């Protein structure tokens, strides 16, 4: 990039939190009593703040690093140093590019300058004239891992977590050399895993040992003396005593590798299609660059990366992802709207769970594992209690077998979970949650029995997915102690808890619920006591529109696939089967009772339930799916079929209308909380930014409500000019 472009870019960020490049000269150790192997320049990347403020890469950070590397290149040319290393402050190498900075680049040229600046700096690291080393002591994501990849050699700490190239997840491509270097270093199949499969699987990352096993790093050392061991290893490499082996490395010009490369790219494209329906441009662009650069030079690939990156920075999908990931998941989730002062929260030293079925057992395991307090389950007979406790023990054994839990932790967790047929065991509990049958009278009876036993300070919670918390509380002596605490299935994986405040729920109870969610490593969102709260109300409206189109005569494959442009994790009929048709119908009936014909109850669905049909689709021998004739014979259909486009638009408008009503009702504080709930509770794609930015972009918000949910620029380009040319 030109000097003028560089100056213009850095001037855009006068308030950047700069990650500084501190240089220290170290005399390398030498084996066998020989003199020092020479002077080694070690760069430590540090923003001067503690581990709660990760080091990131903005333009001024890159400029400083580039200046330091140029000075070291000159020293190497004079023979003053024998090698250069890069490491980071405790727990971090670098957490990647500063997304706030990248998001603020409003013009394509600015994004291009940012991409070119990174390549210019990293190229200096790769061409110092002496060997370069990256000592990966902690988090290394995106541009942070690409610094390491540009070095000649790499070590990694066994304690390092979160290594990866997550750009496909955030709407970009690895733009500073990773997409070129990684497949050559670890093989094309492994590279697709790191660049495509992991990011699109809930942004999965690599641990230090996993990165070493794949070949991302050349050596693995323990955290206690990681830097000392890395320097000693570097000395051995420089002296020739250590020769790193790279069994996964490939030469893309090798005829045997050509087919592997093509197959890996094809497998990546199939994975992207299955995960996103190609609704986001970034994953395909990653694979396009990888496919092209098999026959390109690194410089040619760098040019392609920069052009692609500059275009993607201007897409709504990228800006929506930054909104979802940075503004919502990273920020708003940590400061829940409407949550009382956390100082009001009470300590929880024992938890009671009413019920010992699957959901109750999952809750018991979660509470015991995360809070490390006694948890006792009850049910109506000993067989059910034993089954619930047995489930917890079996799940602990699975975690132990997968080495996700130590033997001591497994023993402690098992000992914490007990069961009883008597609710008297709740007498000294601080928090009792019910997970019994979704029937209001049953739940009211449970709470009446529990309240007669527990202390006046004990908090009562319901895991109801759709029933009125207010109605459950109306006969309690202390209705202020009841709170909704709605988990999503599977409990261990889904991060959302809808925290439901009934009219008389007091602040101390609510504050405790939020602190409890945090202690369980979940995100709590405050919701009003309205039928089905947030996630289920939106999902059932979506499923209801698709089901209605099917009942009206739309072919099943058309109705079920109509929403594929949304890039949802599964189709509506698949979701219904996963939730369970009776459960879905029960929630739909609750919503119909509350809101009328917007939530129509399908007679066809009821016929399937009455006849024990668990899923509309069944797999066929060739791997496809079909609806059996016996299932079709149970149902009757109208004569008003719709096209896929009509079903999509109908559903978009229904969702926009429903969310507009929810906001008017005050179900949550704002559209951001709707988005956070759908991302964390329903797996709504990050690249859509949540549901409201999507409905804004497709025009449904204005068609139905006459206005957008979010202002332009919050999760999209401030200007609505087309960016087609930017990503073509």
């Amino acid at each position: 990039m030109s000097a003028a472009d560089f100056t213009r870019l850095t001037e855009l960020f006068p308030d950047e939190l700069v990650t500084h490049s501190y240089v220290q000269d170290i005399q390398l150790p030498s084996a066998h009593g020989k003199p020092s192997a020479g002077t080694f320049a070690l760069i430590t990347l540090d923003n001067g703040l503690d581990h709660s403020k990760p080091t990131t890469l903005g333009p001024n950070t890159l400029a400083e690093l580039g200046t330091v590397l140029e000075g070291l290149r000159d020293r190497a040319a004079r023979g003053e140093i024998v090698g250069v290393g890069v490491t980071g402050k405790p727990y971090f190498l670098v957490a990647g590019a500063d997304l706030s900075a990248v998001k603020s680049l409003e013009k394509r040229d600015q994004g291009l300058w940012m991409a070119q600046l990174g390549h210019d700096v990293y190229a200096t690291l790769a061409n110092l004239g002496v060997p370069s080393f990256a000592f990966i002591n902690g988090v290394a994501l995106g541009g942070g891992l690409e610094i390491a990849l540009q070095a000649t050699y790499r070590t990694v700490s066994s304690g390092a977590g979160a290594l990866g190239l997550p750009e496909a997840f955030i709407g970009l491509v690895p733009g500073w050399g990773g997409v070129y270097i990684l497949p050559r270093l670890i093989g094309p199949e492994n590279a697709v895993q790191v660049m495509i499969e992991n990011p699109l699987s809930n942004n999965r990352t690599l641990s230090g040992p996993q990165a070493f096993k794949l070949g991302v790093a050349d050596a693995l050392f323990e955290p206690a003396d990681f830097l000392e061991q890395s320097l000693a290893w570097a000395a051995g490499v420089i002296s020739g005593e250590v020769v790193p082996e790279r069994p996964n490395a490939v030469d893309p010009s090798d005829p045997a590798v050509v087919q592997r490369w093509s197959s890996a790219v094809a497998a990546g494209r199939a994975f992207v299609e299955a995960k996103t329906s190609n609704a986001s441009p970034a994953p395909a662009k990653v694979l396009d660059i990888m496919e092209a650069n098999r026959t390109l030079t690194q410089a040619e690939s760098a040019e392609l990366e920069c052009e692609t990156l500059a275009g993607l920075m201007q897409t709504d999908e990228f800006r929506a992802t930054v909104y979802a990931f940075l503004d919502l998941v990273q920020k708003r989730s940590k400061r829940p709207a409407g949550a009382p002062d956390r100082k009001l929260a009470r300590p929880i030293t024992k938890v009671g769970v009413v019920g010992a079925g699957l959901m109750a057992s999952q809750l018991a395991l979660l509470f015991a594992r995360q809070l490390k307090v006694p948890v006792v389950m009850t049910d109506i007979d000993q067989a059910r209690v034993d089954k619930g406790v047995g489930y917890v023990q079996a799940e602990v054994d699975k975690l132990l077998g997968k080495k996700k839990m130590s033997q001591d932790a497994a023993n402690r967790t098992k000992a914490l979970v007990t069961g009883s047929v008597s609710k008297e065991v709740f007498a000294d509990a601080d928090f009792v949650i019910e997970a019994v049958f979704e029937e209001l009278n049953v739940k009211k009876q449970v709470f009446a029995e529990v309240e007669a036993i527990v202390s006046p300070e004990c908090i009562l919670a319901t895991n109801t997915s759709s029933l009125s918390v207010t109605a459950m509380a109306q006969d309690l002596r202390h209705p202020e102690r009841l709170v909704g605490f709605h988990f999503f299935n599977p409990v261990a994986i889904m991060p959302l808890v809808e925290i439901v405040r009934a009219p008389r729920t007091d602040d101390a109870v609510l504050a405790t619920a939020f602190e409890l969610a945090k202690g369980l490593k979940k995100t709590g969102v405050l919701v009003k006591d309205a039928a089905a709260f947030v996630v289920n109300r939106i999902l059932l409206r979506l499923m209801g529109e698709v089901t209605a189109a099917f009942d009206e005569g739309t072919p099943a494959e058309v109705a079920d696939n109509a929403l594929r442009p949304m890039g949802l994790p599964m189709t509506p009929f698949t979701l219904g089967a996963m939730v369970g048709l009776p459960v879905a119908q029960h929630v739909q009936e609750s919503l119909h009772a509350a809101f009328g014909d917007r939530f129509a109850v399908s007679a066809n669905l009821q016929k399937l339930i009455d006849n024990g049909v668990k899923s509309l689709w069944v797999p066929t021998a060739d791997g496809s799916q079909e609806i059996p004739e016996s299932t079709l014979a149970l149902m009757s259909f109208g004569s008003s079929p719709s096209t896929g486009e009509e079903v999509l638009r109908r559903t978009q408008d229904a969702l926009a209308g429903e969310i507009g009503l929810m906001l008017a009702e005050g179900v949550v504080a704002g559209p951001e909380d709707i988005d956070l709930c759908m991302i964390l509770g329903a797996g709504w794609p990050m690249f859509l930014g949540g549901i409201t930015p999507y409905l804004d972009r497709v025009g449904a918000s204005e068609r139905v409500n006459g206005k957008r949910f979010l202002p332009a620029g919050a999760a999209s380009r401030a200007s609505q000019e087309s960016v087609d040319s930017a990503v073509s």
Side-chain angles (χ1 to χ4, degrees), residues 93-109:
L93 178 61
V94 178
D98 183 343
L99 288 181
S100 296
V102 176
K103 179 185 176 183
S104 69
L105 298 173
E106 290 293 340
K107 297 180 181 179
R108 189 181 188 282
D109 284 350

Side-chain angles (χ1 to χ4, degrees), residues 440 444 462 464 466-473 482 500 502 529-533:
L440 181 60
K444 291 182 70 172
T462 172
T464 183
S466 62
L467 299 177
S468 170
V469 180
T470 304
M472 289 181 212
L482 183 63
V500 188
D529 186 20
F533 315 126

Side-chain angles (χ1 to χ4, degrees), residues 258-528:
V258 173
Q259 183 56 49
R260 286 179 54 194
W261 201 284
S262 297
S263 297
V265 170
R269 294 195 190 282
F271 189 88
V272 171
E273 168 67 23
K275 280 285 187 177
T276 72
S277 302
N278 289 317
S280 172
K285 292 295 182 183
V286 175
L287 293 167
D288 289 347
I289 296 173
M290 178 175 162
E291 184 172 41
N293 78 26
R294 187 188 65 78
T295 58
L296 298 178
T297 65
Q298 189 163 0
E300 290 169 337
S301 181
E303 183 176 353
L304 178 58
E305 292 163 32
C306 289
E307 292 291 337
T308 305
L309 195 60
L312 288 171
M313 285 181 193
Q314 300 306 310
T315 62
D316 281 341
E317 287 83 3
F318 166 64
R319 291 163 190 271
T321 304
V322 174
Y323 159 79
F325 182 65
L326 194 63
D327 298 340
L328 300 184
V329 175
Q330 294 293 312
K331 294 180 180 178
R332 193 175 182 92
S333 69
K334 294 175 174 58
R335 295 185 292 273
D341 189 336
R342 59 185 300 184
K343 293 178 183 176
L344 297 173
R346 302 171 189 165
I348 301 296
T349 61
K350 180 178 178 179
V351 173
V353 181
V354 184
L358 179 58
M359 176 59 78
S361 300
Q362 291 182 77
L363 293 177
L365 174 59
L366 178 71
F367 282 109
R369 189 180 179 199
Q370 299 298 341
L371 301 183
K372 299 177 175 57
V373 300
V375 179
V376 58
M377 291 190 288
T378 64
D379 215 315
I380 58 175
D381 58 50
Q382 193 63 44
R384 286 180 170 86
V385 170
D386 291 344
K387 184 177 181 180
V389 174
Y391 171 89
V392 172
Q393 294 179 342
E395 290 300 302
V396 170
D397 286 338
K398 289 179 186 177
L399 292 167
L400 180 63
K402 295 176 181 177
K403 299 184 178 179
K404 293 184 177 180
M405 184 180 281
S406 68
Q407 185 66 63
D408 284 347
N411 293 341
R412 287 194 299 270
T413 303
K414 287 182 179 180
L416 287 171
V417 180
T418 57
S420 174
V421 294
S422 171
K423 294 183 178 66
E424 295 290 338
V425 291
F426 297 148
D428 58 345
D430 305 301
F431 185 91
V432 177
I433 185 169
E434 67 76 23
V436 300
F437 183 68
E438 195 76 348
E439 166 58 50
L440 181 60
N441 289 332
V442 173
K443 292 181 185 289
K444 291 182 70 172
Q445 180 182 343
V446 162
F447 283 129
E449 294 171 358
V450 172
E451 191 177 37
I453 294 166
V454 298
S455 71
E457 294 76 27
C458 179
I459 294 171
L460 304 182
T462 172
N463 186 47
T464 183
S465 60
S466 62
L467 299 177
S468 170
V469 180
T470 304
M472 289 181 212
Q474 67 183 10
D475 295 331
L476 292 177
R477 294 195 301 272
H478 296 285
E480 71 280 357
R481 71 161 91 201
L482 183 63
V483 65
F485 208 61
H486 178 220
F487 290 85
F488 291 80
N489 201 19
V491 171
I493 295 173
M494 301 304 289
L496 178 69
V497 177
E498 290 177 327
I499 297 178
V500 188
R501 181 172 201 162
R504 298 179 67 180
T505 306
D506 72 24
D507 282 351
V509 169
L510 206 60
T512 305
F514 274 100
E515 286 301 295
L516 185 57
K518 184 178 179 181
L520 296 171
K521 298 183 179 179
K522 303 293 183 183
T523 294
V525 175
L526 182 62
V527 303
K528 182 181 177 181

Side-chain angles (χ1 to χ4, degrees), residues 131-191:
S132 57
F133 297 79
F135 304 144
I136 308 171
N137 61 308
V139 173
L141 291 171
L145 184 59
E146 286 175 302
I147 287 178
L149 292 173
Q150 293 282 1
T152 320
Y153 304 101
R154 288 155 294 281
T155 67
V156 67
S157 168
S158 62
L163 281 70
L165 295 176
E167 284 82 358
F169 170 76
I170 60 174
L172 300 175
V173 298
W176 291 334
V179 72
Y180 182 89
I181 298 169
L182 196 65
R184 289 162 169 77
L185 182 67
I186 66 174
E189 302 88 353
N190 290 334

